[in-house]
Amino acid sequence: MARERRAIRRIESAAARQVTFSKRRRGLFKKAEELAVLCDADVALVVFSSTGKLSQFASSSMNEIIDKYSTHSKNLGKSDQQPAIDLNLEHCKYDSLNEQLAEASLRLRHMRGEELDGLSVGELQQMEKNLETGLQRVLCTKDRQFMQQISDLQHKGTQLAEENMRLKNQMHEVPTASTVAVAEAENVVPEDAHSSDSVMTAVHSGSSQDNDDGSDISLKLAFLFTEQVTLEVRTVGRPP
């Protein structure tokens, strides 16, 4: 069975009128929300009941939508309507940014200790508290950085000390030039001494074949020759 359509006219019963208002208001707000989400539109609804109660819905900000509506209404009859709307919107944003910049500049001057005559005692106390808090943060950050630098320098000093010790150990392990020369000389002298012993043996062997009258003279000559050779060898092998 088809649903009976109700005639659109004022409901006489106050209770029925209030119930219908609540139901239809919820449905209207739901449709407005769906329209804003589906179509990415700015939607604002303002509803006053018969008793004067306000009900409103806005997809973003009610004030921004009302400002946009006011700007649109002012430029509704102009031929260049859309450019004028955009220009007015940009002008409003520009004014808002200028106000924010002026407030930030004023706070910065106050933090520097400038233009403080217009501030009350409470505002000055709050500013003093903020400055003390900021100063403590600055000091903590500075101390932390100093400690980090000191730690880095100590670490570098330890590395340099270890490197210095390693180089010293390497220097002790490497033999010096004088030590090498002395070792070479010591290796040479026994060989010369061995050669001198050979000379002495040859002389003695030769002298045994001579007659008894010239044996003493031959032994003396051989001994002098051997001493001279040994002296020359030791002089050459001595380090400079």
Side-chain angles (χ1 to χ4, degrees):
M1 180 181 293
R3 185 177 178 181
E4 181 182 358
R5 296 180 61 85
R6 177 178 296 183
I8 303 301
R9 64 174 181 269
R10 182 176 182 273
I11 301 174
E12 297 299 333
S13 174
R17 187 168 58 244
Q18 184 64 31
V19 172
T20 302
F21 174 79
S22 299
K23 291 181 179 180
R24 300 246 176 177
R25 180 189 59 185
R26 287 195 297 269
L28 180 62
F29 285 174
K30 182 178 180 181
K31 291 294 183 181
E33 183 179 3
E34 292 176 355
L35 178 63
V37 173
L38 293 174
C39 302
D40 194 18
D42 290 334
V43 181
L45 292 177
V46 178
V47 180
F48 288 95
S49 66
S50 59
T51 58
K53 182 179 179 180
L54 172 64
S55 300
Q56 63 180 3
F57 168 80
S59 59
S60 57
S61 173
M62 180 64 75
N63 293 330
E64 291 181 359
I65 295 176
I66 292 175
D67 292 339
K68 187 183 294 186
Y69 172 76
S70 300
T71 304
H72 182 78
S73 300
K74 292 177 182 178
N75 298 277
L76 188 60
K78 299 181 180 180
S79 58
D80 54 347
Q81 176 180 352
Q82 189 64 33
I85 293 175
D86 295 338
L87 182 61
N88 288 330
L89 290 176
E90 293 297 330
H91 183 69
C92 293
K93 292 180 180 179
Y94 179 75
D95 292 339
S96 176
L97 292 176
N98 278 337
E99 291 178 359
Q100 295 178 7
L101 179 61
E103 292 177 359
S105 299
L106 181 60
R107 287 196 298 268
L108 181 60
R109 289 194 296 271
H110 288 167
M111 297 297 289
R112 292 176 178 174
E114 302 174 357
E115 301 181 10
L116 301 177
D117 296 336
L119 299 178
S120 63
V121 176
E123 292 174 344
L124 291 174
Q125 290 178 349
Q126 183 64 33
M127 185 178 299
E128 181 181 5
K129 187 182 297 183
N130 294 335
L131 289 173
E132 290 178 353
T133 303
L135 179 60
Q136 291 296 328
R137 293 177 180 175
V138 171
L139 292 176
C140 290
T141 304
K142 184 185 69 174
D143 293 341
R144 185 170 61 254
Q145 291 182 358
F146 278 164
M147 295 303 296
Q148 184 64 35
Q149 291 179 1
I150 291 172
S151 178
D152 294 341
L153 291 175
Q154 289 177 349
H155 182 65
K156 290 181 180 179
T158 303
Q159 290 181 346
L160 291 175
E162 293 176 354
E163 183 67 18
N164 189 18
M165 183 62 66
R166 186 178 64 83
L167 293 175
K168 285 183 178 180
N169 294 332
Q170 291 181 356
M171 290 296 296
H172 288 308
E173 293 175 358
V174 175
T176 59
S178 60
T179 306
V180 174
V182 170
E184 291 178 353
E186 290 177 354
N187 292 331
V188 170
V189 170
E191 295 178 357
D192 295 335
H194 180 70
S195 62
S196 62
D197 293 338
S198 300
V199 172
M200 288 293 295
T201 303
V203 170
H204 282 292
S205 61
S207 63
S208 61
Q209 298 176 1
D210 295 335
N211 53 20
D212 295 333
D213 296 334
S215 59
D216 295 334
I217 297 174
S218 299
L219 289 174
K220 291 180 180 180
L221 290 175
F223 180 75
L224 292 175
F225 177 77
T226 302
E227 289 292 330
Q228 183 177 0
V229 171
T230 303
L231 181 60
E232 290 177 357
V233 169
R234 289 180 178 178
T235 305
V236 172
R238 186 177 301 166

